[in-house]
Amino acid sequence: MKKLFPHPVLTLALWGIWLLLNNTMAPGHLVLGFILAFSISLLTSGFWEEKVYIRAPLMLLRFLRIVLWDILIANITVAKLILGRNRKLKPGFFYVELDIRTPLGISLLANTISLTPGTVSCDLTEDRTRLLVHALHIEDIPATVKQIKERYETPLKEVFTEC
Amino acid sequence: MTLLSFNIPVVVLLPFVGAIAAAWVSRYSRLASAWAATIITLLAMAFLAPAAGLPFQGETLIQSWSWIPGIGLTFSFRLDGLALLFALLILAIGLLVIGYARYYLSPKDCMGRFFAYLLMFMGSMLGVVLSENLIQLVVFWELTSLTSFLLISYWRHRQDARLGARMALAITGAGGLALLAGVMLLGHVVGSYNLTDVLAAGDRVRASELYLPVLVLILIGVFTKSAQFPFHFWLPHAMAAPTPVSAYLHSATMVKAGIFLLARFFPVLSGTPEWSWIVSSAGLITLVIGAYIALFQHDLKGLLAYSTISHLGLITLLFGFGTQLAAVAAIFHIINHATFKASLFMVAGIIDHETGTRDMRRINGLFSYMPHTAVLAMIAAAAMAGVPLLNGFLSKEMFFQQTITASQVSGWAWAIPALVLIAAIFSVAYSLRFIHDVFFNGKPVDLPKTPHEPPRFMKIPVDLLVIICLAVGIIPMFTVAPVLHVAVAGTLQASPPEYSLAIWHGINLPLIMSILALAGGALVYTARKRLFAWHDASVARWDARIVFNAILGSLDRFAVGVTRVFDKGSLQNAAVWVIVTALTAGFIGWMGISAPLLGARELLPVDGVSLAVLAVMMAASLMTAVLHRRRLVSLLMLGVVGLVVSLVFVKFSAPDLALTQLSVEVVTVVLLLLALYFLPQSTPRERDKVRIGRDIAISVLAGAGVAVLTMGVLTRELTPISDYFLLNAVPGGGGTNVVNVILVDFRGTDTLGEIVVLALAGLGIYAMLRGMKLPAPDRDSQGRLWSSDNHPEIMRTHTRLLFPLMLMIAVYIFLRGHNLPGGGFIAGLIAAVALIVQYLANGIAWTSKRLRFDMHWVIGLGLLAATATGLVAMGLGYPFLTSTFTYLDWPVVGKFEVASAIAFDLGVFLVVVGATVLSLVELGKLSDSSHKAEQQKRRTEVR
Amino acid sequence: MLATALLIAFSLVTLALLLSFIRLVKGPDIPDRILALDTLYINAIALLILAGLHFGSSLYFEAALLIAVMGFVGTVAFSKYLLRGDIME
Amino acid sequence: MLEWILSALIVIGAFFTLVGSIGLYKLPDFFMRLHGPTKATTLGVGAILTASVLYFSFKTDDISLHEVLITVFLFITAPISAHLMAKAALHIKLKRVGRTREPADH
Amino acid sequence: MEYMISLSIGILTATGVFLTLRARTFPVVLGLTLLAYAVNLFLFSMGRLTIGLPAIIDKTAKAAQYSDPLPQALVLTAIVIAFGMTAFLIVLALKARGELDSDHVDGLADNQQTPDQRDIGKNIDPDRGTVQ
Amino acid sequence: MSHLTAWPVFLPLITGFLLILLRGKGIYYQRIVSLSAVAGLVALAVALIVVSLPGQYQVYLLGNWTAPFGIVLVADRASALMVSITAVLALAALWYAVASNTDEKGPHFHVLYQLQLFGLNGAFLTGDLFNLFVFFEVLLLASYGLLLHGGGRLRTRAGLHYVVINLIGSTLFLFAVGTLYGLLGTLNIADMAARIATAPGDSLGLIAAAGLLLLVVFGVKAAMFPLYLWMPGAYANTSAPVAALFAIMTKVGIYAIIRVHGTIFGSEAGELAYYYMPWVLGLGLVTLTFAALGVMAARNLREQIAYLVLASVATLLIGVGLNGSSALSATLYYLIHSTLIAGAMFLLADVILKGRGAFEDRFESAPQLPNAVVTGSVFMFGAIAITGMPPLSGFFGKVLILNAALHHEWVAWVFTILLAASLLTIITMARTGSSIFYRTLPPPPSPAAGEPLNRNAFMAVIGLFLVSPVLVICAQPVTAFTASAAEQLLDSTAYIEAVLSAPAVNNPSIEE
Ligand code: NA
Ligand code: NA
């Protein structure tokens, strides 16, 4: 079974994507989508060295909600910053010390940071312990770091595990 | 079928066959070639013999076969008196030369080659004189040029032989081409290339407006071949040939071919002032110049060569007079010259053979060493000088008579006999020199060999020829008369006029001229020392060869100049020419037809978005050019153009194109970046402002031209065939996306060709990159070392996540393509990009390890799939690529379409993936190996 | 109503497109230009979806999707070029 | 009502898209400009896509959700772009405005 | 609109031609790519410009209500062919860079004005003019 | 339903991808497959000629779509002839490549070779202008690969020039096709010809412009002045078998002019009927002049042969430009001759080059090459043939063309330039032969010495050269064939009728 479904999450996701792409729940596409999802995940299994499981699906949904909300708020905030006088902006680089260790986790964290307007993750140190972030306007670095770790890193750590 | 219906072509072709035989048998025995040549010549004579009597009965034998009827070229032969005379001369003297050459050639000389060439030459000459069709005559005429080239350059290690042969080929070849042109025009006038028709159409030809071109062109052929002024200079240089060759070519054959032609066309072309003027002027000048120069030659063969030129001039002059009696004299002198000149050349060869030199300043007093040869030479030379009781005397008398006749034609014509007399004096002088300087005149000087009589058989040909000289000279009526008669009849194509071959006509002007010539000649010869000094100081420096070389040299320089100026090996030059030509062509084409530039079709309104987007495209396009020296920036600008082009496609209802353009754009950028790594990062500033200005002008014109063309078309109505596709896509092709149905069905062959192009690009790139090494820079253009993080972790993770998703999209785009925008191309490109992203993020080694497809295999399978659908149709009795489709209704799944076009599109998909990935990965590997090489180098440097 | 909104939206996005292009032309540095090109791609997505709404057609969706999926490849390649020179190694 | 919502979403999306480009245009250094496009990719495109989802779902009988995929892909790819561009800019030591705070140990 | 498109195609052509006439391989490749864009747009527009009428058969529409699909199919072919050609050419440019030690289209070095002397032999007749 | 027309196109394609799939099997299998396929192609070509003899057009509806909607292949006498010349040349060149191991000098030689044939035969048989573009691209890309096969400095540079110029040419082609479609609304050559007769008068100017643009495109392929500058370098610097095969490449351009212009702007074209002819003739004459000078100025044998090929192309252009059935017949005759002889000459140049060792084919004294007598004799034979001296076919081809020129108002120009060019080439080839075979040095130390004659490879040279005497001896049937082919080519009406009326095989999926 594990050989056939090396990455069940992926297979499911692909199936969902197929149905989304075709905008349908027609039985034909359900079947075809499943076959495709199954074959593609099997075909690309070599590219996924680590196994990924979603340990806490509900947590994931909550995380998504938080992120989307943050994005919305940050958009408005940042829009003001951009449209306002740019000389007032206080840009800065700062490091986020990482607790999360898995490549996927780190990447998703970096991703989240970048997606939230106002911050962009710029670099990962080679030992993968710190993430360099640039902020468009930052007053209090430690508070921001703390917020990032609490709002994003902690849930991510809990949602995704690898075995 | 009797022998008489096909023997003439056998006579002509036999020597060619014999040439092969002669060359072949030489591997068995040296002398076998000579024997073969002898036998072949005898055989040819034997084949000629049964027909030889016909001209004497007043008949002309024609043997003809169809060859290229479209242009009136027949394979046909003609035997009349003239042809018979020449054929006999060619064969008889040929036979003698063969016998002579067998002894002449040294053991170092390859006999097989010699006799093969000689036989081929003989065949060519026979072909010239025996041809009925004029084109065929030209064929053999040119063959004589070619084979004489081989004969003259026989001693190829000698530079003078090579140069002499090439000069002869150049001059006679040129003449041959002129002759071809003349003959074709003549045939055009007459309406036939057959001599019979041409000879019967003399009046029509002379009345034609093409008469002068025909005459001039044919005469160029004649004059070059017969070494008439101003084309005479090749002949002395042809003396580098072995002497038997000279004896043959310059007595009876090669040079006589021109004379033969004069005789042949005499009834057609002569009798006009143009003929008289051109032919007799050339003849007269040649006669005088040849005789004069001959005296001053120190080379024995040189003397004979110029003498030959002079005698050819004499014959030409006679033909130039245009009267029938002059023609008789000309024919007679042809025969006589052939005999005495052949024997003289042979004697020269014997002397050369025996003494090792031909320099008359060193050869003296040979009479005591080789009295027999000396006597033969003296008789022959006397014949050349026109001494009574020898054949030369008779024809010279006739010649003098004709000059006197001609002198009464007009006021200035008194000059003719005067000049002729001067030439005759010099003729006597050089003949005297030939005899006195060689056989008497003291002792030999510093000869390489001690001379003695040659082998007896080497002299036999000379003996025979000298006997003929005597026999004709003494008893012409019983020897030469019948042959002369039929030859003249053949020449004139009418019964010959009254003429007398008597030795004694009483004391008349010609006799006085002869006596004056003999006396004057003796006088000139005695005064030779002073004359030589004067000549060497003045005239000797004037050699037409210098002019020839100057012409050829400047032609050569001109050729090099023109070629290198135009074809300078510069791509920009070539490209400018193509573009400028295209512009000109378009302009001329349009200007040629008077029509308004713009039509009256209703146009679409402009909207702000389009305006802005197009403005961005134009600006980006201009920036690409303006910033081209900063390559990366230029490439970024190009990216904008690509993006906007796809937006334009979307805007104007072409979603398939937009998708394709987008995907191609991405791959192109990656490709160009891969390559840019190995190239300089910037383009050096161009210093040539003029060129930039020129290029800008060309570009602006090209742009304007294309813009105008586009407007011209877009403002006109169009009724395309496309409604058919719109109507038949669903019922006939089974798809609603008409563009896709066209691609995979209506015009599937285009698509097939196109994926072959892609496959070829992939394979070609693979082949090019094989074994290629390029130095990889270890720092960027600002001198910074590269980042050490070659595969950033965050990117790696993301792209791996993306990989299956992109493949899913590829499948989606593929499957919907028949009905909605998409299809094999786009899907293939998406899949390829999905793979490329993996390579970009994870590197080649990592990705290749996980992707075990050989991309060659993918390409091959793709082509197989695309072609197989076509072949299946063929198997079912339909044309290649005939498609079919059907609707299936399965439980659960529902109703869905299955189309053979999908299999075709799958082939497209596979080829696109295979070719794209193969190209990019091979390019990536190039840098991989370079990196390693670079690191290796650094490591070894550290050690 | 919707038409007016679309008109406004088209104008805004077109203006965005022009601003991005100006940045692309101005630079001053290569990363600025790469960023500008990347933004142009995003602007194009917006334009495409607006066009889909304008024409009431779903045929513009794939083009937008394709840009979303593949538009970043160019950006990545350019960036990697700056980082390593060799983008595929 | 639907038309109002659609109109609002469309204009909001277009506005944020413009804001992104304004940021790109006027912000003083590369790292700050990098924040501009994120507006466009998230709320800008997101709002217009939402309008599209609503429009096509109501226009036809079926629910049209495939627009969501665009956002999904943009959410995956945009951060990669941003990350790599930033990394490249850092690598070539691109100038930043003087008031930029540098990271603790740099 | 037709005039705008014509102008765009014209400018693409002009810049493409200008770059194609440059002396270095890379600009030439860019130039040919621009020319390909120009000619693809040209070929496409030859079916005349239509807005909002993709040639996807919809049972409700008539033939006249679609854009001309044939030029589109041709352009698709042309795009792919141009891509293959560009790929080949750029790799050839690399090969030329490797073989000729220069990215000049004629293999000239940076400071060189005329073609390489190594490639030019003399065609003077070895036999001419040396003997009488 | 006969598929004979399609097989010459698709056999090389199938062989091509089979060879890709056979990649791992080693060169031996590749050679067998490749040679057998080309031998098969010769057989197909002969069959095609036989079928075309009675004068029917073999119209093959690809995909079973009738013209002008689908793509058609049209075989008539002329296209059958072109396919045959290609096949014979290809067989000889391939034989040489195999016998001389040229095919091992880089990957994919045989694949490229087969796909080149796919492109060539497609170009000769297609009846669709855009499809002609596609086949042009196929044959060009294959030729790029083949040209560069083996690599090397000069070859790479020549290849770069060749590719760039042809890319410009392809762009022009699309501009021309686009314009014609934009005004006539069709792509099928016959349909274009039919529509041009009824085209509105105000669009004729643009159509004429497109037609001349197309002439430039074909002129680039055919190496017409001033578009030939890519050509001498490309032909002179590639490997011998490829150069030999390329002898047909320029003829594709000639054929395209005959077929495309001759049909579209043929007798049916009203105001535009044969309006392009003076350009073909005039530029042919100029090309010939430059070619002859180029032959003289060439620095080595291969470059010289390239210019000789240019001269033969120019002669063909003159033949085309003289316009008329006898001129066209002459052109076809000369085309057979010049293609095969040029191919043989390139192969022979390689034999000489190898035999001269380090001296290669430069015009300088070198030690005598091995088997000098045989090689020299064959060289002489070839020189006679290619310069148009009697008694070989070049002469008769030239006479046929001259004969056709007799009725043309430019007869003086044609005669003068054609004969002057002949003279220059004859003089130059005599010099060449003299400096290569006559003016030799003493034998060299062994490392500098040339290779002995490769007898197997040499057979290909001999085989091709033998065509020349055959063309002379069998001039009657050959010219009868070319004349009938010319008649058929000039009969645009019959061509249009045959193509546009060819019926589809009844297909159940198409509802009429
Ligand atoms: Na498709
Ligand atoms: Na079909």
Side-chain angles (χ1 to χ4, degrees), chain B residues 550-896:
Chain B
I551 291 172
L552 218 57
S554 48
L555 191 61
D556 218 357
R557 276 188 300 278
F558 177 70
V560 173
V562 167
T563 307
R564 296 287 163 264
V565 163
F566 187 57
D567 177 11
K568 35 175 100 143
S570 149
L571 173 62
Q572 289 158 286
N573 177 50
V576 164
W577 275 108
V578 173
I579 292 165
V580 168
T581 311
L583 276 171
T584 317
F587 186 70
I588 288 174
W590 179 66
M591 287 298 286
I593 307 286
S594 57
L597 184 59
L598 300 179
R601 185 173 167 272
E602 198 184 328
L603 303 181
L604 289 174
V606 186
D607 61 275
V609 180
S610 306
L611 197 65
V613 168
L614 288 177
V616 165
M617 177 163 78
M618 290 186 252
S621 167
L622 285 169
M623 296 300 284
T624 312
V626 172
L627 298 175
H628 79 270
R629 291 185 44 242
R630 295 159 70 189
R631 294 180 173 181
L632 197 62
V633 179
S634 190
L635 186 55
L636 275 158
M637 291 296 171
L638 189 75
V640 180
V641 180
L643 174 65
V644 179
V645 167
S646 51
L647 290 180
V648 173
F649 287 142
V650 171
K651 164 89 188 176
F652 297 109
S653 321
D656 284 275
L657 289 186
L659 298 182
T660 313
Q661 177 62 52
L662 277 169
S663 328
V664 165
E665 181 62 31
V666 168
V667 182
T668 306
V669 164
V670 173
L671 187 74
L672 293 181
L673 277 173
L674 273 171
L676 189 54
Y677 174 53
F678 297 100
L679 293 170
Q681 299 308 299
S682 59
T683 305
R685 187 176 289 283
E686 286 170 76
R687 274 162 295 182
D688 192 344
K689 298 284 179 243
V690 179
R691 167 170 280 179
I692 293 181
R694 178 200 72 181
D695 290 352
I696 289 176
I698 293 173
S699 311
V700 169
L701 283 174
V706 167
V708 166
L709 182 65
T710 317
M711 284 193 295
V713 178
L714 292 189
T715 52
R716 287 176 162 81
E717 295 295 339
L718 169 70
T719 42
I721 55 172
S722 306
D723 283 356
Y724 180 89
F725 303 124
L726 294 166
L727 292 171
N728 283 284
V730 177
T736 54
N737 181 3
V738 187
V739 175
N740 182 267
V741 178
I742 292 176
L743 283 170
V744 299
D745 200 336
F746 291 111
R747 297 185 65 89
T749 316
D750 277 351
T751 309
L752 189 59
E754 171 193 343
I755 59 176
V756 171
V757 167
L758 263 191
L760 278 168
L763 300 177
I765 287 170
Y766 173 82
M768 261 195 285
L769 292 174
R770 258 297 158 95
M772 195 162 125
K773 283 275 174 291
L774 275 180
D778 60 351
R779 50 193 73 209
D780 66 15
S781 52
Q782 261 72 49
R784 290 178 291 250
L785 279 170
W786 299 120
S787 159
S788 56
D789 190 1
N790 52 358
H791 303 302
E793 183 65 41
I794 291 174
M795 183 186 176
R796 293 182 59 148
T797 325
H798 272 87
T799 52
R800 273 183 262 164
L801 183 70
L802 216 47
F803 185 49
L805 307 188
M806 289 176 86
L807 288 184
M808 197 56 144
I809 291 180
V811 175
Y812 165 72
I813 291 285
F814 175 79
L815 286 180
R816 74 200 292 272
H818 213 45
N819 291 311
L820 286 164
F825 282 129
I826 306 163
L829 283 168
I830 296 171
V833 170
L835 282 169
I836 289 164
V837 170
Q838 297 311 306
Y839 284 105
L840 281 179
N842 301 305
I844 287 181
W846 189 92
T847 315
S848 298
K849 209 168 76 188
R850 281 159 183 78
L851 196 78
R852 284 180 223 88
F853 298 111
D854 179 358
M855 285 304 155
H856 287 96
W857 190 253
V858 176
I859 294 174
L861 277 182
L863 288 175
L864 175 67
T867 314
T869 55
L871 293 176
V872 168
M874 271 170 134
L876 296 172
Y878 289 102
F880 190 79
L881 282 185
T882 304
S883 67
T884 185
F885 61 92
T886 185
Y887 293 92
L888 298 179
D889 198 350
W890 283 2
V892 186
V893 176
K895 191 178 169 189
F896 64 98

Side-chain angles (χ1 to χ4, degrees), chain A residues 20 23 89 93 111 130 138, chain D residues 65-66 79 99 101 105:
Chain A
L20 267 180
N23 244 342
L89 296 178
F93 284 100
N111 199 342
R130 288 188 302 168
I138 189 161
Chain D
L65 274 178
H66 64 185
R99 58 183 185 273
R101 274 185 276 173
D105 58 42

